[in-house]
Amino acid sequence: MLNEPIPGIFEYDSFSSALAKGIAMTHQNIRQSAHSFSMMFKRRTLNGIGGPIAIFSQTFKMAKTGIRGLLQLLGSLSVGLAVLNFVPIAPLDGGRWFFLTVEAIIRRPLHEKVKDYIIIASLALFALLFLVLSYRDFMRLLGY
């Protein structure tokens, strides 16, 4: 039969079982993403961190293994990007929360020039990180 379960590859779950597994996997991905991101700052190294080229490459590799692996990778990437979005860097949502928290503490709005400088500096650092990771990914693909 076409829709027969294949243990370890294609299995049927009840709705509640599938929901529980999905929540558990998402929780695990959140913890792993947060841990990886925090270790990048604690160790002050980019080792083990991939950029857009590495993500693209891994996506193609997982697509060749089958739909299950590809969907798991895409789910992990989505959760990782959601965790990254909460980092208090101005271009991200976490940066907005940072500004709101600072303004709540000082009980007045930040001067617009100060916000602009923080946003520009954050964007510059974000762009630099993007370029460095892309360069490292490209060199890794070339075997260096």
Side-chain angles (χ1 to χ4, degrees), residues 38-95:
S38 68
M39 293 311 290
M40 183 175 75
F41 285 103
K42 287 179 184 175
R43 293 184 183 158
R44 295 185 181 165
T45 182
L46 295 176
N47 289 338
I49 305 293
I53 296 172
I55 292 170
F56 195 69
S57 174
Q58 281 300 113
T59 303
F60 272 106
K61 285 179 185 175
M62 292 307 290
K64 289 178 182 177
T65 68
I67 191 72
R68 182 179 181 167
L70 178 63
L71 290 176
Q72 285 178 335
L73 175 68
L74 294 176
S76 295
L77 288 173
S78 295
V79 170
L81 289 172
V83 169
L84 179 67
N85 197 35
F86 283 103
V87 175
I89 300 173
L92 306 174
D93 288 340

Side-chain angles (χ1 to χ4, degrees), residues 2-15 17-19 21 25 67-68 72:
L2 185 61
N3 291 332
E4 287 296 314
I6 302 169
I9 298 173
F10 177 71
E11 299 173 359
Y12 288 110
D13 282 318
S14 67
F15 177 76
S17 175
L19 183 63
K21 284 181 182 179
M25 288 177 70
I67 191 72
R68 182 179 181 167
Q72 285 178 335

